Amino acid sequence: MKSFVIGLSLLTLALGSQAQLPPETSAPSDKSDLSRLERVAGPNRTSSRAWATSAKEGKFKNQNEKAEKAERGDKVETAAIKWVDSTGRTMGRAIGNYAILATFDNQLATIVGLGSDSKCDPIRGCTYASNGANWSEFESVYYTTADCTGTPYSVGGTIGTPYRGIPITDSGGTYLYFFKAVDTIRVVLGSRYSTSGCFAIGSRGAFPTDAAPVSDVVPATTYGTPPFFLK
């Protein structure tokens, strides 16, 4: 049990060093260049809702059944800290206080991007709707174009799971973009998209890097309805 706790702590520290960074520092480019990112319009960008309307029959129908089986497992399974949503539904194991170990397409997936259930503005500061978590606004997906059109990519990897899930608020809701970490290709990134909009990556930051193309996009409610809580 002691080795399991130590292993989980190391995994938490490794993922935490990436998940807590703002979106600019996630890009594989010169920090000084990214500090001068220019917001650009992406009128032809494919919305999250459009990506999420593709056929997905069978990918998620066993999601609840798998969670229930995990809860009926051995002592290690039942003793694990879990994330549950506002209805009490189990979303998956907790990886620290910001990520979820879940399943996607019958494989393990690390879903990152949990943050405090709060709203902030520069005048009034932050207000907290609950003591739970919600999807963060600081995750990004990347594009080879200058206006966030075409295929979304992820430049972040995972530790121990084939898939990585990233939340993006778009099209009137929050969506999870899933990327297969082992299916990276060499690309030159030209822009990034986050909840705050589309930003062009300057020429100094546009150099070849390994990135994974999107595998699928699903409504975040597929995994749970916020706020989320540790249990």
Side-chain angles (χ1 to χ4, degrees):
M1 183 64 183
K2 182 177 180 181
S3 62
F4 171 76
V5 173
I6 295 174
L8 183 58
S9 299
L10 292 174
L11 178 60
T12 300
L13 288 172
L15 286 170
S17 64
Q18 177 183 5
Q20 299 299 327
L21 292 175
E24 288 80 3
T25 56
S26 297
S29 54
D30 183 8
K31 291 182 181 179
S32 62
D33 180 68
L34 286 178
S35 66
R36 299 189 296 274
L37 287 176
E38 178 185 357
R39 185 189 295 270
V40 295
N44 297 317
R45 174 181 172 269
T46 303
S47 71
S48 301
R49 181 176 297 167
W51 280 100
T53 54
S54 57
K56 298 177 177 62
E57 184 176 358
K59 282 192 176 181
F60 303 101
K61 64 181 180 181
N62 296 323
Q63 184 75 20
N64 290 336
E65 180 182 348
K66 288 184 178 182
E68 292 172 1
K69 285 183 178 179
E71 291 197 43
R72 296 196 299 268
D74 57 26
K75 290 183 179 179
V76 174
E77 290 286 348
T78 55
I81 298 175
K82 300 171 292 186
W83 279 103
V84 298
D85 74 351
S86 57
T87 69
R89 170 187 168 191
T90 297
M91 303 168 67
R93 281 195 182 191
I95 303 178
N97 59 355
Y98 53 85
I100 305 167
L101 180 62
T103 58
F104 168 77
D105 199 15
N106 296 316
Q107 298 186 64
L108 287 175
T110 301
I111 302 176
V112 300
L114 290 181
S116 61
D117 186 22
S118 62
K119 297 292 182 183
C120 301
D121 64 65
I123 299 176
R124 296 184 178 87
C126 298
T127 59
Y128 296 85
S130 72
N131 65 343
N134 206 329
W135 300 114
S136 170
E137 299 180 356
F138 298 112
E139 298 295 330
S140 297
V141 291
Y142 295 84
Y143 297 82
T144 57
T145 59
D147 60 353
C148 299
T149 57
T151 301
Y153 290 86
S154 170
V155 297
T158 60
I159 298 178
T161 65
Y163 281 100
R164 181 175 189 247
I166 299 173
I168 297 290
T169 300
D170 177 36
S171 308
T174 302
Y175 294 80
L176 292 174
Y177 285 65
F178 283 94
F179 304 86
K180 196 167 188 177
V182 296
D183 288 345
T184 58
I185 60 176
R186 202 73 170 167
V187 296
V188 176
L189 302 177
S191 58
R192 69 166 180 83
Y193 185 90
S194 67
T195 298
S196 57
C198 180
F199 296 86
I201 296 175
S203 59
R204 289 178 58 193
F207 55 85
T209 187
D210 292 329
V214 67
S215 294
D216 211 341
V217 179
V218 301
T221 51
T222 303
Y223 285 85
T225 302
F228 312 124
F229 302 91
L230 289 171
K231 179 179 180 182

